[in-house]
Every structure is written in C-alpha cells, then in structure tokens.
Amino acid sequence: MSAIDLAETAAALPEAWSSRVLGTVGAASVKLLRMDGLPVVEESHGAGEALLVLDGRLELEVAGVPVSVGAGELFMVAAGTAHAVRPGSRGTLVIVELPEPRPGVR
C-alpha cells in the first residue's frame, strides 16, 4: 500500500460530511471527511470512536457539553455517548470507528 495524501483526498470528496473509508485496522474503519460549517444531528454508537482533526476545528456537543477540538487534536467519544456537531466545524477530519452491528446479527 502506498501513502495517501489526506488533503488531496479530502478536497476530492464529492460533498462535505460524506466520508471515504481509507482502510481498516482490525475491525475498525479509518474514514476521512471534509467539514463545511454546517451542524450534524446528535448520534451515539455502540462502540467508542476516535475523532482526529487534521486541519480546521471540530465543534461538538458531547453529552450536552460544548467541546472544541483543534487541528492536531484527537477527541475520543466513549461508547453510547450522545454527540452532535455544532455549527462552525470546518476542515478535515479522520474518524476511526467500529462498524455498527446490524439488527438481528450478533
């Protein structure tokens, strides 16, 4: 496998908040996406996830508390924790997450 130019890959994404899976590490997916300033509704996951801001700033609300994550910073969201993206998030984000289990599949 060769190196991936993350800035170039993010710029080529068709739209903001549309992630691209770059690869996997074990069962976890490593995704890249571009943030565009718009909010994203609250969600929670059955497993924790890692949010790494490459450039720009990620504005979150985590369990009702505002959190700001800057370029070069990593934020870990614990499994089951409600979190939403607040307006003003811009830049490039890497997400490392496990796949959500499908209903009826163990």
Side-chain angles (χ1 to χ4, degrees):
M1 173 170 237
S2 61
I4 299 170
D5 184 320
L6 297 176
E8 182 179 290
T9 302
L13 291 171
E15 57 188 42
W17 299 109
S18 173
S19 64
R20 175 173 172 206
V21 176
L22 301 174
T24 57
V25 178
S29 293
V30 178
K31 299 179 175 181
L32 179 72
L33 62 82
R34 189 176 70 253
M35 303 177 284
D36 69 352
L38 295 177
V40 176
V41 298
E42 184 177 90
E43 61 184 6
S44 64
H45 308 283
E49 66 180 347
L51 307 173
L52 172 63
V53 178
L54 296 180
D55 61 76
R57 182 160 295 283
L58 173 61
E59 300 294 342
L60 295 171
E61 185 163 313
V62 181
V65 177
V67 175
S68 186
V69 186
E73 294 182 323
L74 173 71
F75 188 81
M76 301 295 294
V77 180
T81 303
H83 57 288
V85 176
R86 296 183 295 137
S89 297
R90 294 188 180 278
T92 309
L93 179 65
V94 171
I95 301 173
V96 180
E97 65 182 4
L98 291 171
E100 288 290 326
R102 294 182 303 206
V105 177
R106 290 185 180 208

